[in-house]
Amino acid sequence: MRVLLLSAYDAQSHAQWRRALQAMLPHWQWTEVCLPARYFAWRVRGNSLSLAFGEHADTLREPYDLVVATSMTDLSALRGFVPELARIPTAVYFHENQFAYPTSSHTHNSVEPQVLNLYTALAADYVLFNSHFNRRSFLQGVSALLKKLPDLVPKGLPERLEKNSEVLPVPLPDLTDASASDACWSEQEDPLRIVWAARWEFDKDPELLNAILMALDKRNIDFRLALLGQRFRHTPRVFDDIIQRFSDRIDQQGFVESRAAYLSWLASADYILSTAQHEFQGLAVLEAVALGCCPLLPQRQVYPEYFAHEHLYSTTGDVAQQAESAVDKLDALQAMATKPEISVASFASQHLCHTYESVLTRVANR
């Protein structure tokens, strides 16, 4: 099988997925074309120009049996610019969708990314989502968008997309070699070791993170924190407040360059804490749970799909109320004689490789 793999905005999670995909199917012949994950607005709108007429133009015109593209790819325009691609069966993979993205006063909210998501899904022969939450919120978002349009809106588009789509998670890599020995937690007697691992952006709700840490401190709960994740040029100011206020409790902050060291922080933590308002699978959480962390997660986004209520705190009320709910859940988990066992084996590469091969072969033979 000759496969062209297009990653038009090659963010970390997208890169992890494409590497896992090729590792699961090493007997296929893969050709990768990736664009860097920067200048989001331009990349999303201009990737078809960059791909069709840039340095990768000849690569796109070679013969393939299948095209696999991420949802950031402007597939409808790209298939027009490169007619050869229009004749090749194509699957699109949605790591996230723009319909469920939280709004912010700091960002320019435009309907265009949503329209591009819709066009790309319709231009594909088959659509894959990494979770039921992702698929459901996308289809609901499409329906809501179409109802807002003034006229000449074709009927049955959400139903068509639902019929030509399914859920196939991003596979977790083999973590059996991960070790806790490289993590550098402060040597104190029996503090809770909490890891928070996400992009340092507003959609991961740093305000709630700050409120939870303050609630822990108010209740005199002894804890150490590994504040992991990638920082960007424009980072919400609350992260600086957290670092200043809890400097004596933070053992690691920011992006960990070494994958082995990153996994060590996860493996040596007691709890993986999330405050995300924007999460469609939660790879960091799943990896941490696979390494033995107990999850403490908001009751929203994808998390209720995967985890029991013992691990989910309420997201109703204001930030202070949500923080109190999170600490109440932590207290309840701490009080358990044995914490509930959680299996994430269904996300393992070994479990998913045959499904991926079956689904993509079916698309190629359409």
Side-chain angles (χ1 to χ4, degrees), residues 238-308:
V238 66
F239 282 107
D240 293 327
D241 296 338
I242 289 171
I243 292 168
Q244 182 177 2
R245 181 177 292 119
F246 298 101
S247 60
D248 60 332
R249 295 181 181 271
I250 298 175
D251 291 330
Q252 171 64 31
Q253 58 171 286
F255 187 71
V256 179
E257 293 289 344
S258 163
R259 170 74 173 166
Y262 170 76
L263 293 177
S264 291
W265 283 105
L266 298 185
S268 56
D270 300 306
Y271 290 91
I272 175 75
L273 170 65
S274 174
T275 52
Q277 296 182 11
H278 181 238
E279 199 69 85
F280 294 93
Q281 183 171 341
L283 284 173
V285 168
L286 292 172
E287 287 183 338
V289 171
L291 291 169
C293 277
C294 183
L296 182 62
L297 314 167
Q299 192 170 5
R300 62 186 175 203
Q301 301 289 297
V302 73
Y303 294 128
E305 186 176 323
Y306 297 148
F307 298 100

Side-chain angles (χ1 to χ4, degrees), residues 173-182 260 263-264 267 291:
D174 184 6
L175 302 173
T176 54
D177 294 333
S179 168
S181 61
D182 295 330
L263 293 177
S264 291
L291 291 169

Side-chain angles (χ1 to χ4, degrees), residues 53 97 114 125 136 151-152 191 201 210 228-229 310 323 327:
F53 302 107
N97 72 75
Q114 297 179 357
D125 296 288
R136 182 175 64 253
D151 67 355
L152 302 178
E201 295 188 294
N210 187 40
L228 308 183
E310 290 91 348
V327 178

Side-chain angles (χ1 to χ4, degrees), residues 27-28 50 93 134-135 139 197 227 238 262 290 294 350:
H27 51 289
W28 288 8
S50 301
Y93 195 86
N134 192 0
R135 184 172 184 249
L139 294 172
L227 189 61
V238 66
Y262 170 76
C294 183
Q350 307 94 298

Side-chain angles (χ1 to χ4, degrees), residues 94-161:
F94 274 75
H95 295 83
E96 66 280 296
N97 72 75
Q98 294 300 310
F99 294 96
Y101 197 85
T103 58
S104 166
S105 59
H106 304 292
T107 59
H108 173 66
N109 298 315
S110 169
V111 75
E112 189 168 28
Q114 297 179 357
V115 173
L116 289 171
N117 266 187
L118 172 59
Y119 284 8
T120 288
L122 290 171
D125 296 288
Y126 208 64
V127 184
L128 298 169
F129 295 90
N130 61 351
S131 68
H132 291 283
F133 166 72
N134 192 0
R135 184 172 184 249
R136 182 175 64 253
S137 60
F138 173 79
L139 294 172
Q140 291 172 346
V142 167
S143 296
L145 174 65
L146 295 176
K147 289 175 182 177
K148 295 177 183 178
L149 303 180
D151 67 355
L152 302 178
V153 179
K155 295 184 182 299
L157 293 183
E159 292 77 12
R160 174 179 173 175
L161 291 169

